[in-house]
Protein backbone atom coordinates (compact mmCIF):
# COMPACT_ATOMS: atom_id res chain seq x y z
CA UNK A 1 0.00 0.00 0.00
CA UNK A 2 1.30 3.46 -0.94
CA UNK A 3 0.38 6.14 1.54
CA UNK A 4 0.87 9.84 0.97
CA UNK A 5 1.23 11.88 4.18
CA UNK A 6 1.58 15.60 4.69
CA UNK A 7 0.95 18.44 7.07
CA UNK A 8 -1.23 21.27 5.78
CA UNK A 9 1.30 23.92 6.79
CA UNK A 10 4.71 25.18 5.68
CA UNK A 11 6.47 25.33 9.05
CA UNK A 12 9.77 23.42 9.15
CA UNK A 13 9.09 22.80 12.87
CA UNK A 14 5.50 21.77 12.22
CA UNK A 15 3.75 19.87 14.99
CA UNK A 16 1.29 18.59 12.39
CA UNK A 17 4.18 17.19 10.38
CA UNK A 18 5.26 15.31 13.50
CA UNK A 19 1.73 13.98 13.97
CA UNK A 20 1.35 12.92 10.33
CA UNK A 21 4.76 11.18 10.42
CA UNK A 22 3.79 9.37 13.62
CA UNK A 23 0.52 8.20 12.04
CA UNK A 24 2.48 6.83 9.08
CA UNK A 25 4.86 4.97 11.38
CA UNK A 26 1.97 3.59 13.42
CA UNK A 27 0.31 2.32 10.25
CA UNK A 28 3.50 0.44 9.37
CA UNK A 29 4.17 -0.93 12.84
CA UNK A 30 0.57 -1.98 13.60
CA UNK A 31 -1.11 -2.81 10.32
CA UNK A 32 1.09 -3.02 7.25
CA UNK A 33 4.85 -3.42 7.57
CA UNK A 34 5.14 -3.21 3.78
CA UNK A 35 3.32 0.10 3.48
CA UNK A 36 5.33 2.76 1.65
CA UNK A 37 4.68 6.03 3.44
CA UNK A 38 5.80 9.10 1.51
CA UNK A 39 5.87 12.40 3.42
CA UNK A 40 5.61 15.43 1.18
CA UNK A 41 6.22 19.07 2.11
CA UNK A 42 3.77 21.75 0.96
CA UNK A 43 6.74 24.08 0.44
CA UNK A 44 7.61 21.99 -2.61
CA UNK A 45 4.27 22.94 -4.18
CA UNK A 46 4.35 26.68 -3.55
CA UNK A 47 2.43 28.74 -6.11
CA UNK A 48 1.39 32.37 -6.46
CA UNK A 49 -1.84 33.26 -4.71
CA UNK A 50 -4.74 31.97 -6.80
CA UNK A 51 -6.49 34.50 -8.95
CA UNK A 52 -8.87 34.03 -11.86
CA UNK A 53 -6.80 36.55 -13.82
CA UNK A 54 -3.58 34.62 -13.28
CA UNK A 55 -5.32 31.43 -14.33
CA UNK A 56 -6.65 33.09 -17.50
CA UNK A 57 -3.22 34.51 -18.31
CA UNK A 58 -0.92 31.63 -17.47
CA UNK A 59 -3.06 28.56 -16.79
CA UNK A 60 -2.69 26.24 -13.83
CA UNK A 61 0.85 25.99 -12.41
CA UNK A 62 2.66 22.69 -12.80
CA UNK A 63 2.91 22.40 -9.00
CA UNK A 64 -0.86 21.91 -8.84
CA UNK A 65 -0.60 19.07 -11.34
CA UNK A 66 2.29 17.59 -9.37
CA UNK A 67 0.26 17.75 -6.14
CA UNK A 68 -2.74 16.12 -7.80
CA UNK A 69 -0.50 13.42 -9.28
CA UNK A 70 0.97 12.63 -5.84
CA UNK A 71 -2.55 12.00 -4.56
CA UNK A 72 -3.41 9.98 -7.66
CA UNK A 73 -0.42 7.66 -7.16
CA UNK A 74 -1.37 6.89 -3.53
CA UNK A 75 -3.73 4.23 -2.21
CA UNK A 76 -4.50 6.36 0.83
CA UNK A 77 -3.73 9.81 2.21
CA UNK A 78 -2.97 11.05 5.74
CA UNK A 79 -3.28 14.81 6.31
CA UNK A 80 -2.68 16.73 9.51
CA UNK A 81 -4.13 20.25 9.49
CA UNK A 82 -2.62 23.26 11.18
CA UNK A 83 -5.21 25.84 12.17
CA UNK A 84 -4.71 29.53 11.43
CA UNK A 85 -7.45 31.78 12.80
CA UNK A 86 -9.92 28.95 12.87
CA UNK A 87 -9.30 27.83 9.31
CA UNK A 88 -6.83 26.36 6.82
CA UNK A 89 -3.36 27.82 6.52
CA UNK A 90 -3.06 30.11 3.51
CA UNK A 91 -0.49 27.74 2.02
CA UNK A 92 -2.81 24.73 2.11
CA UNK A 93 -5.82 26.70 0.88
CA UNK A 94 -3.84 28.06 -2.05
CA UNK A 95 -2.50 24.63 -3.02
CA UNK A 96 -6.00 23.23 -2.71
CA UNK A 97 -7.63 26.06 -4.69
CA UNK A 98 -5.25 25.72 -7.64
CA UNK A 99 -5.55 21.94 -7.61
CA UNK A 100 -9.34 22.14 -7.56
CA UNK A 101 -9.18 24.05 -10.85
CA UNK A 102 -7.89 20.86 -12.54
CA UNK A 103 -10.77 18.85 -11.08
CA UNK A 104 -12.90 19.54 -8.00
CA UNK A 105 -12.33 15.95 -6.88
CA UNK A 106 -8.87 16.86 -5.61
CA UNK A 107 -8.66 13.68 -3.51
CA UNK A 108 -9.87 11.42 -6.30
CA UNK A 109 -12.07 9.27 -4.01
CA UNK A 110 -9.05 8.04 -2.05
CA UNK A 111 -9.44 6.88 1.54
CA UNK A 112 -8.21 9.70 3.75
CA UNK A 113 -7.38 10.03 7.44
CA UNK A 114 -7.76 13.59 8.69
CA UNK A 115 -5.78 14.74 11.72
CA UNK A 116 -5.24 18.13 13.32
CA UNK A 117 -3.31 19.45 16.27
CA UNK A 118 -2.40 22.72 17.94
CA UNK A 119 -0.55 23.73 21.10
CA UNK A 120 -3.83 24.86 22.69
CA UNK A 121 -6.76 22.91 24.12
CA UNK A 122 -8.85 23.38 20.97
CA UNK A 123 -6.67 20.95 19.03
CA UNK A 124 -7.41 22.70 15.71
CA UNK A 125 -10.92 21.25 15.80
CA UNK A 126 -12.34 24.13 13.79
CA UNK A 127 -10.22 23.48 10.69
CA UNK A 128 -10.69 19.74 11.11
CA UNK A 129 -14.47 20.25 11.15
CA UNK A 130 -14.22 22.27 7.93
CA UNK A 131 -12.17 19.55 6.25
CA UNK A 132 -14.52 16.76 7.34
CA UNK A 133 -17.65 18.75 6.43
CA UNK A 134 -16.51 19.59 2.92
CA UNK A 135 -14.85 16.24 2.17
CA UNK A 136 -17.61 14.78 -0.05
CA UNK A 137 -17.37 17.71 -2.47
CA UNK A 138 -13.68 17.10 -3.06
CA UNK A 139 -13.54 13.35 -3.48
CA UNK A 140 -12.26 12.68 0.02
CA UNK A 141 -13.39 9.32 1.38
CA UNK A 142 -12.86 10.13 5.07
CA UNK A 143 -12.09 6.95 7.00
CA UNK A 144 -11.40 8.64 10.30
CA UNK A 145 -10.58 11.98 11.88
CA UNK A 146 -8.81 12.93 15.07
CA UNK A 147 -7.96 16.17 16.82
CA UNK A 148 -5.03 16.14 19.24
CA UNK A 149 -5.34 19.00 21.77
CA UNK A 150 -2.39 20.51 23.66
CA UNK A 151 0.20 18.88 21.40
CA UNK A 152 3.20 19.51 23.63
CA UNK A 153 1.50 17.69 26.53
CA UNK A 154 0.22 14.84 24.38
CA UNK A 155 3.27 14.09 22.23
CA UNK A 156 6.58 12.71 23.48
CA UNK A 157 9.08 14.74 21.44
CA UNK A 158 11.96 12.32 22.03
CA UNK A 159 10.11 9.11 21.24
CA UNK A 160 8.08 10.93 18.58
CA UNK A 161 4.83 9.32 19.63
CA UNK A 162 1.51 10.13 21.27
CA UNK A 163 1.28 9.58 25.02
CA UNK A 164 -2.45 9.32 25.70
CA UNK A 165 -3.76 5.75 25.32
CA UNK A 166 -7.23 6.87 24.31
CA UNK A 167 -5.91 9.07 21.50
CA UNK A 168 -3.60 6.25 20.34
CA UNK A 169 -6.56 3.85 20.29
CA UNK A 170 -8.64 6.31 18.25
CA UNK A 171 -5.83 6.81 15.77
CA UNK A 172 -5.30 3.05 15.45
CA UNK A 173 -8.96 2.42 14.74
CA UNK A 174 -8.86 5.03 11.96
CA UNK A 175 -5.65 3.60 10.46
CA UNK A 176 -7.04 0.06 10.60
CA UNK A 177 -9.56 1.02 7.91
CA UNK A 178 -6.87 1.74 5.30
CA UNK A 179 -6.60 -1.05 2.76
CA UNK A 180 -4.58 -1.26 -0.43
CA UNK A 181 -6.60 -0.66 -3.61
CA UNK A 182 -6.94 -4.02 -5.39
C1 LIG B 1 -1.56 33.29 12.11
C2 LIG B 1 -1.78 32.21 13.12
C3 LIG B 1 -3.06 31.91 13.51
C4 LIG B 1 -3.29 30.88 14.44
N1 LIG B 1 -4.58 30.55 14.74
C5 LIG B 1 -4.82 29.49 15.53
C6 LIG B 1 -6.15 29.04 15.76
O1 LIG B 1 -7.10 29.57 15.26
N2 LIG B 1 -6.34 27.94 16.54
C7 LIG B 1 -5.28 27.28 17.10
O2 LIG B 1 -5.51 26.28 17.79
N3 LIG B 1 -3.99 27.67 16.90
C8 LIG B 1 -3.75 28.75 16.13
N4 LIG B 1 -2.46 29.15 15.89
C9 LIG B 1 -1.35 28.42 16.52
C10 LIG B 1 -1.01 27.20 15.70
O3 LIG B 1 -1.87 26.14 16.10
C11 LIG B 1 0.46 26.81 15.91
O4 LIG B 1 1.28 27.81 15.34
C12 LIG B 1 0.79 25.45 15.35
O5 LIG B 1 2.15 25.17 15.67
C13 LIG B 1 0.56 25.40 13.85
O6 LIG B 1 0.78 24.10 13.39
P1 LIG B 1 2.13 23.68 12.63
O7 LIG B 1 3.23 23.74 13.68
O8 LIG B 1 1.87 22.29 12.18
O9 LIG B 1 2.37 24.66 11.53
C14 LIG B 1 -2.20 30.18 14.99
C15 LIG B 1 -0.89 30.50 14.58
C16 LIG B 1 -0.67 31.50 13.66
C17 LIG B 1 0.72 31.81 13.23
Amino acid sequence: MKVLAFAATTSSQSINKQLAAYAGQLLKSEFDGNAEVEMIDLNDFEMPIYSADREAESGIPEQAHAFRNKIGEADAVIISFAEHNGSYTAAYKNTFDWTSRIDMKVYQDKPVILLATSPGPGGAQSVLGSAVGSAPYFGMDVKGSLSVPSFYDQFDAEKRELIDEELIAQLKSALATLKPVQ
Side-chain angles (χ1 to χ4, degrees):
M1 174 164 57
K2 285 180 76 170
V3 179
L4 182 71
F6 67 91
T9 176
T10 51
S11 166
S12 62
Q13 304 301 313
S14 168
I15 58 178
N16 284 280
K17 196 186 274 184
Q18 294 174 59
L19 183 59
Y22 167 68
Q25 285 306 316
L26 197 62
L27 175 73
K28 284 171 71 88
S29 64
E30 296 287 324
F31 302 109
D32 184 355
N34 294 323
E36 283 176 44
V37 180
E38 182 186 8
M39 284 284 301
I40 59 168
D41 185 335
L42 276 197
N43 286 298
D44 295 333
F45 300 88
E46 188 172 327
M47 291 169 260
I49 300 286
Y50 177 82
S51 89
D53 293 349
R54 276 200 177 111
E55 184 182 352
E57 278 163 26
S58 317
I60 298 169
E62 65 182 40
Q63 292 92 328
H65 290 279
F67 183 70
R68 181 178 163 79
N69 290 343
K70 281 285 176 200
I71 296 166
E73 289 163 5
D75 297 314
V77 183
I78 297 170
I79 309 171
S80 191
F81 287 95
E83 181 170 287
H84 279 182
N85 298 318
S87 190
Y88 299 110
T89 63
Y92 174 77
K93 187 64 166 50
N94 195 46
T95 308
F96 182 72
D97 285 348
W98 274 116
T99 309
S100 74
R101 298 298 297 152
I102 302 168
D103 184 334
M104 251 184 83
K105 286 198 162 196
V106 169
Y107 288 92
Q108 301 162 60
D109 298 322
K110 304 284 175 173
V112 180
I113 304 290
L114 298 177
L115 310 174
T117 191
S118 73
Q125 277 184 66
S126 174
V127 68
L128 185 62
S130 298
V132 171
S134 64
Y137 302 105
F138 304 112
M140 245 187 201
D141 180 10
V142 179
K143 295 297 188 188
S145 66
L146 180 71
S147 154
V148 175
S150 307
F151 177 81
Y152 294 103
D153 298 333
Q154 297 291 354
F155 197 82
D156 184 324
E158 270 183 27
K159 292 186 184 161
R160 302 197 154 267
E161 61 190 28
L162 280 174
I163 295 165
D164 184 78
E165 292 297 337
E166 180 56 35
L167 287 173
I168 295 169
Q170 287 178 35
L171 181 54
K172 279 185 188 171
S173 68
L175 293 171
T177 65
L178 297 185
K179 302 266 183 339
V181 173
Q182 299 302 320

